Amino acid sequence: MPPIQRAIVAGIAILASDLTPAQIAAARHNLTPGAPYEQDPDVTTDLATIQRIRALLPTWKLRGAADLEWRLRQLDAAEDRLLAAHGYPVPTDEQRYEARQAMRTAADVVQAAADRAHPPADCPRCRAWEDCPDADRAHRDALHADWVNRWTAPLYTAA
């Protein structure tokens, strides 16, 4: 039986019965004996590093720009190790810069849409979108519209 069929049969069996986690791990090990069925300690370390750095990023102003740069480089290195460990190509510095610029552009588009839906200058309660429930709602609607547009946009356009 091909591996995909074994995986489907195993998945159906797991859903249809009351199995313990140890029995599920043993079943996965029986399906693909050579595959690691526990997370590699290096992967666990990199995931913890990424989580720790992302939690500290909002407070970068307290530590300064040099600390921010150092943490972003640590974050990039941990993400690169994870990508390489799973067989994905590691992005170059230029590709990483372009991705960050694209994220910045997307964030600016969302903020502009929220500002158009609820201009802060026209609302006496607003100093920023966080201060006013109406502005907050406009911002969430803009985020949702951006998300929907990204996932429903056609992949290819007719030439």
Side-chain angles (χ1 to χ4, degrees):
M1 179 182 295
I4 188 72
Q5 288 177 341
R6 285 188 286 179
I8 291 170
V9 170
I12 292 171
I14 288 169
L15 291 174
S17 65
D18 292 327
L19 295 175
T20 65
Q23 291 170 327
I24 293 170
R28 284 192 301 180
H29 183 64
N30 288 336
L31 286 172
T32 53
Y37 57 93
E38 291 185 10
Q39 190 164 303
D40 186 62
D42 293 336
V43 170
T44 303
T45 303
D46 284 336
L47 289 173
T49 300
I50 290 169
Q51 183 178 10
R52 181 177 43 82
I53 292 172
R54 287 195 189 273
L56 290 174
L57 283 180
T59 63
W60 73 270
K61 290 181 183 178
L62 299 174
R63 293 176 179 84
D67 184 70
L68 173 66
E69 180 67 24
W70 178 71
R71 289 185 191 280
L72 287 175
R73 290 195 185 280
Q74 278 187 321
L75 185 66
D76 290 342
E79 289 174 346
D80 290 349
R81 286 191 299 271
L82 286 174
L83 287 171
H86 291 285
Y88 293 101
V90 176
T92 63
D93 287 339
E94 183 177 312
Q95 291 169 328
R96 199 174 275 122
Y97 175 77
E98 289 173 5
R100 284 195 179 123
Q101 290 300 99
M103 287 188 292
R104 173 66 188 239
T105 302
D108 289 344
V109 166
V110 167
Q111 190 61 49
D115 288 342
R116 278 193 308 275
H118 185 86
D122 295 344
C123 181
R125 295 185 298 177
C126 289
R127 286 186 304 256
W129 63 265
E130 300 97 337
D131 294 336
C132 175
D134 296 333
D136 185 46
R137 184 68 205 179
H139 189 261
R140 283 188 278 144
D141 289 345
L143 281 172
H144 179 72
D146 181 63
W147 184 84
V148 168
N149 290 341
R150 285 175 201 241
W151 286 101
T152 59
L155 295 176
Y156 302 103
T157 57

